[in-house]
Amino acid sequence: MKKKRNRAAWLFLAPSLGGVLIFYLIPFGDVVRRSFLTAVTGEWKGLDNYKTVFQNEAFLLAAKNTARFAICCLPLLIGAGLLLAVLIAGHRRLKIFLSAYLLPMAIPSATVVLVWNMLFDRWGLFNGFCGRIAALAGWGHAFETDYMETGAAFWVLIVSYIWKNLGYTVTLWLAGLLSVPEQLKEAAAVDGAGRGQIFIKIVMPQLLPNLYTITVLSFINSFKVFREAYLVAGSYPHESIYMLQHLFNNWFVDLSLDKMAAAAVVTGAVMIGAILLLQYLWERDEGGPE
């Protein structure tokens, strides 16, 4: 009976595993192979491509910006999602709020870019608003800054990322909040625990698996921020938002496939290492996912 169950399980998993093998693992294996070869002749170069990548200023800048983006975005996105989920968890119009939060995910990137231009262009709404305030205050100062050409572009990108991805974060937090048994919270309240103590001692331990899932998904998605920045500023945006995706796109256009393969392997290794480390830290805790 056990063998039949195992066989049935493998039959159900086979299509998914086959797709992962054909469309992910085998192509990535070919990328690893190409990272040790020249782009044109296919000659063996060993670790020369990796040395070239780590000495490349564009790669170092893109890696720094991508890491900075992930470090800044993850706490803000996770914290804002948890706060909003707690605020709307017991609301009678919960579905309406969820629809509003999930709406940005359905908006095409081109529309998001149009909003960016309307807000932060030299003649955009934000400069117009600031200029109106300055005029009312008697400062007489005109605001004509193109924010996508300054260091502020980095924070504009962060706000756009959080706005677009907040919906699924709130949804995942809500799934955890609504699964916490009411009996546990009622028993703690009867024992004299306040709302803050109930949330910290009862609710949060139940949310650790959700926190793990949200953190991993948000970390992976933070490496995919490219379309909006590319559509706004092209292949070479302000250096504060020059991400790894810009680098890969430019190297692909230049047919620098050897450098691109080496950089892709390094990026993949960092992502896998970070996820495995996070999983290890969670599993070491008794409240982590099994």
Side-chain angles (χ1 to χ4, degrees), residues 57-67 242-247:
E57 293 184 3
F59 174 79
L60 297 178
L61 174 64
K64 183 191 73 172
N65 287 338
T66 304
Y242 187 77
M243 303 293 184
L244 284 172
Q245 296 90 335
H246 290 95
L247 181 74

Side-chain angles (χ1 to χ4, degrees), residues 58-135:
F59 174 79
L60 297 178
L61 174 64
K64 183 191 73 172
N65 287 338
T66 304
R68 180 188 173 205
F69 182 85
I71 292 172
C72 291
C73 272
L74 260 63
L76 293 174
L77 179 63
I78 295 171
L82 177 59
L83 177 61
L84 289 174
V86 170
L87 291 176
I88 68 173
H91 202 280
R92 58 189 179 90
R93 296 183 178 178
L94 175 61
K95 293 183 179 180
I96 297 178
F97 283 111
L98 271 181
S99 300
Y101 291 136
L102 290 172
L103 181 62
M105 299 185 67
I107 298 178
S109 298
T111 305
V112 176
V113 169
L114 179 62
V115 174
W116 280 23
N117 288 330
M118 290 175 59
L119 287 174
F120 301 108
D121 188 62
R122 184 181 302 276
W123 310 110
L125 297 177
F126 186 76
N127 278 333
F129 174 77
C130 293
R132 180 65 61 86
I133 296 298

Side-chain angles (χ1 to χ4, degrees), residues 219-259:
F219 176 72
I220 294 174
N221 287 333
S222 67
F223 279 77
K224 300 179 181 179
V225 178
F226 170 66
R227 289 175 298 179
E228 290 84 356
Y230 179 79
L231 290 174
V232 169
S235 301
Y236 297 95
H238 187 268
E239 64 175 17
S240 64
I241 57 173
Y242 187 77
M243 303 293 184
L244 284 172
Q245 296 90 335
H246 290 95
L247 181 74
F248 290 146
N249 179 74
N250 295 336
W251 279 354
F252 180 79
V253 172
D254 295 338
L255 296 180
S256 301
L257 302 183
D258 46 0
K259 292 191 298 182

Side-chain angles (χ1 to χ4, degrees), residues 5 7 21 30 55 90 140 143 166 172 198 221 247 280:
R5 290 179 178 176
R7 189 181 304 168
L21 179 66
D30 185 61
Q55 293 172 356
F143 290 83
L166 190 61
L172 291 174
I198 293 175
N221 287 333
L247 181 74
Y280 168 76

